[in-house]
Structure formats: C-alpha cells, structure tokens
C-alpha cells in the first residue's frame, strides 16, 4: 500500500528548448493561458531561461543552443515519443483557444474509455501537448 504524503509544491517540471523561445513564450500564453513567472535573457536579448505557470504547475523553457544541456536533449524537431499532458477543467474551451492560436490539432476532442475528455495538438515547433479532464492528484490514492 502506498502512503499518501501531504501536498507539496510540484517536483517535476517539463523543460523545453525552442529555436525561438521568446516567440514561443508569447504563443504559449495566448494558446494555453500560461502566465510568465520568470524570464531571463542574455546580453543579446536571447531567452536563456523562462518559467511559465498554469495553475499549480510550471514548465521551463529556453532557447536551443549547443551548450551542455542542449547537447544532451538535442535540437527541436521530431518528437521521438515525448509529450506533455495538462489536466484542465474545460477541454472544449482549451481546444478553442489552441485552435484560435493556430496550434496544429492532431486529434480533436474525444472521450477516452477511462472517462477523460481530451485533445492533442502540436505547438509551432513540433512539441506535442495533450489536454484532458483526467487529473491524477499526488495526494490521493490511485483508482
């Protein structure tokens, strides 16, 4: 039996490298409703690190480069099995918002066999985003 611990801040932060992180920050705010929590530039104005929040969760993004981390994660491009899932209350509203921001809709709103309503899209640089009503909570036992 797994012991459920008290609620604590998130420990997992999906991290993305983009060719144009500045443009992607604006797009993520418009398309998905993220709020910019922090944004750090180098002396040329290139985004080195940014933190975007959505509810109690955050992602971190930066501009793709040939630094140590960039060499480990690789350049933006083919997804290679990676995706980010975001739990939302209103899938239809998020779908409409993503569509209005010209996200590439890969799968429209569907009802899953496990009770979630979801859709899948890609951002302008090819990262895959899934949004759905399935919302596991770390402080609650699994079904």
């Amino acid at each position: 039996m797994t012991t459920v611990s008290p609620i604590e801040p998130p420990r997992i932060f999906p991290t993305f490298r983009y060719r144009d992180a500045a443009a992607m920050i604006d797009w993520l705010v418009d398309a998905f409703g993220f709020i910019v929590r922090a944004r750090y530039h180098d002396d040329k104005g290139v985004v080195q690190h940014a933190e975007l929040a959505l509810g109690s969760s955050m992602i971190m993004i930066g501009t793709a480069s040939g630094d140590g981390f960039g060499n480990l994660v690789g350049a933006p491009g083919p997804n290679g099995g990676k995706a980010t899932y975001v739990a939302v209350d209103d899938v239809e509203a998020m779908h409409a918002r993503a569509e209005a921001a010209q996200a590439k809709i890969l799968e429209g709103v569907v009802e899953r066999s496990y009770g979630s309503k979801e859709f899948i899209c890609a951002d302008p640089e090819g990262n895959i985003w899934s949004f759905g009503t399935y919302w596991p909570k770390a402080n609650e036992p699994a079904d």
Side-chain angles (χ1 to χ4, degrees):
M1 172 66 93
T2 303
T3 305
V4 177
S5 60
I7 297 173
E8 65 180 6
R11 292 178 179 263
I12 300 172
F13 300 90
T15 304
F16 301 90
R17 290 287 177 118
Y18 287 108
R19 286 181 282 278
D20 187 348
M24 286 306 305
I25 289 169
D26 294 340
W27 191 87
L28 290 164
V29 167
D30 290 342
F32 302 148
F34 279 95
I35 295 169
V36 179
R37 183 179 176 280
R39 186 175 177 154
Y40 303 100
H41 302 85
D42 65 12
D43 57 356
K44 296 178 183 168
V46 176
V47 175
Q48 297 299 305
H49 176 79
E51 298 168 4
L52 283 69
L54 185 66
S56 62
S57 300
M58 284 194 295
I59 62 171
M60 296 186 289
I61 71 172
T63 301
S65 67
D67 64 7
F69 183 71
N71 289 332
L72 288 173
V73 301
N79 200 12
K82 300 174 219 147
T84 298
Y85 175 85
V86 181
V88 296
D89 293 319
D90 187 340
V91 169
E92 286 86 0
M94 182 60 81
H95 181 270
R97 184 176 186 150
E99 205 167 40
Q102 299 180 335
K104 182 178 181 183
I105 304 299
L106 302 174
E107 180 179 59
V109 176
V110 297
E111 297 268 350
R112 301 286 185 209
S113 61
Y114 47 89
S116 184
K117 188 180 280 189
E118 301 176 356
F119 77 94
I120 302 170
C121 65
D123 68 29
E125 292 201 16
N127 291 295
I128 306 300
W129 295 80
S130 298
F131 294 87
T133 57
Y134 176 69
W135 193 344
K137 303 194 177 57
N139 65 322
E140 297 176 2
D143 290 338

